[in-house]
Structures are given as structure tokens and as C-alpha cells.
């Protein structure tokens, strides 16, 4: 799926094969089988083009990820505990992305336009700088947040 999402257009097995072969040796039949499996599972649709098929992702990568998270959360016998554990696994960057997402969606579930972030104001010569907002108790400031790995977690189909 990663390759189909990266191309962002209908792709053939041959195109995916050639792309993958830049990194490792892989057989045409292996790629063809994986693409067929993705089609049977409903993750890609395909249209015949001559003797080949062109495959297109059914959903975007973010929509797929959201569906996986929703499915995992829905199967938990204790959704609140699952969320707490999940949040505890997040990097500082992921927690900031979560805060941004909550601001965008809002409390009523309606998606709103994201608010633009203001750049820090440079002090004007001769004026006292305005102090930044203080962190709330228990909340880390940007400077105090540890640098953590922001690599992707989990698995995705076709990887």
C-alpha cells in the first residue's frame, strides 16, 4: 500500500515491481499476488488496461490509519485505559499533532478550519520583550520536552 499511496495515481504491477527492485530483489509474481490480495481485501480497486491491471488506493493513508485506530479502540474492553496507554506511547510531536487535531475537530465533533499559528514576535529595539505564556503545572514546555523518535509505528498492508 505504501507504494500505491506514494505514486498517488493508478499503478501497474510492473511499476510497483520496478520501484521495489531499487531496494531489493523481488519476483513479479510476488508483487502481483500482493496486489491481488489487496484488491480482494478491498484496499485497492483495479481496472483492466490491455493484459494488465491498474491499481488505485480506495482510501488515503490518513483515512486508513484512522480506520485502524478506530477498529482497535472499538474492540477494547476498556476504551479509556486503551487511550491512556496509547497517549503514553506518543512522542512529543505526536502529542502536539493530537492537540492540533482536537482543536480542529472541536468539542462538538464538527471539523473547523485550523487556526493559523502566530510566529513569535521579535522585540522592538528599546522595548522590553513580552514574556511567553507559562506552562500549566504538569505540562512540559517546548524547551523541556525530550527529543523522541518520531518514526511511524505499527504496520500497514503491503509493507
Amino acid at each position: 500500500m505504501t507504494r500505491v499511496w506514494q505514486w498517488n495515481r493508478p499503478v501497474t504491477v510492473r511499476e510497483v515491481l520496478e520501484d521495489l527492485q531499487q531496494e531489493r530483489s523481488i519476483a513479479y509474481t510476488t508483487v502481483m499476488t500482493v496486489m491481488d490480495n489487496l484488491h480482494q481485501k478491498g484496499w485497492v480497486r483495479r481496472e483492466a488496461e490491455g493484459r494488465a491491471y491498474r491499481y488505485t488506493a480506495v482510501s488515503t493513508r490518513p483515512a486508513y490509519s484512522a480506520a485502524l485506530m478506530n477498529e482497535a479502540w472499538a474492540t477494547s474492553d476498556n476504551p479509556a485505559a486503551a487511550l491512556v496507554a496509547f497517549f503514553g506511547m506518543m512522542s512529543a510531536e505526536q502529542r502536539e499533532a493530537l492537540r492540533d487535531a482536537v482543536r480542529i475537530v472541536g468539542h462538538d465533533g464538527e471539523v473547523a478550519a485550523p487556526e493559523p499559528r502566530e510566529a513569535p514576535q521579535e522585540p522592538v529595539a528599546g522595548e522590553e520583550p513580552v514574556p511567553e505564556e507559562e506552562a500549566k503545572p504538569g505540562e512540559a514546555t517546548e524547551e523541556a520536552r525530550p527529543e523522541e523518535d518520531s518514526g511511524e509505528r505499527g504496520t500497514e498492508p503491503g509493507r
Side-chain angles (χ1 to χ4, degrees):
M1 281 305 301
T2 298
R3 302 301 169 141
V4 176
W5 283 319
Q6 285 173 342
W7 284 71
N8 199 26
R9 65 167 176 77
V11 296
T12 64
V13 170
R14 176 78 50 205
E15 289 172 323
V16 174
L17 172 73
E18 290 171 359
D19 193 27
L20 288 169
Q21 284 180 334
Q22 293 177 20
E23 297 173 13
R24 64 181 184 268
S25 178
I26 189 167
Y28 180 91
T29 54
T30 301
V31 177
M32 183 174 64
T33 299
V34 170
M35 297 299 284
D36 186 59
N37 288 342
L38 292 172
H39 176 256
Q40 289 180 21
K41 291 180 179 184
W43 292 335
V44 295
R45 67 177 153 263
R46 66 183 180 195
E47 292 184 29
E49 184 177 282
R51 293 178 45 203
Y53 287 109
R54 284 213 173 263
Y55 294 86
T56 307
V58 169
S59 69
T60 65
R61 187 178 208 148
Y64 171 76
S65 297
L68 280 179
M69 290 187 284
N70 189 52
E71 182 180 332
W73 187 47
T75 60
S76 173
D77 59 347
N78 188 340
L83 283 175
V84 168
F86 179 65
F87 296 157
M89 299 163 82
M90 295 175 128
S91 68
E93 292 81 14
Q94 291 169 324
R95 286 190 301 274
E96 186 62 30
L98 176 63
R99 284 185 201 100
D100 290 344
V102 169
R103 273 188 230 108
I104 291 168
V105 173
H107 297 289
D108 58 3
E110 291 292 320
V111 176
E115 294 179 17
R117 292 186 176 199
E118 292 185 24
Q121 297 292 323
E122 293 293 323
V124 177
E127 291 184 10
E128 288 290 316
V130 179
E132 293 187 29
E133 283 186 22
E134 292 183 22
K136 294 177 185 142
E139 181 177 307
T141 63
E142 283 294 322
E143 296 82 26
R145 289 186 183 155
E147 291 295 318
E148 296 184 34
D149 178 66
S150 63
E152 294 182 16
R153 291 185 171 89
T155 60
E156 50 192 48
R159 224 175 182 202

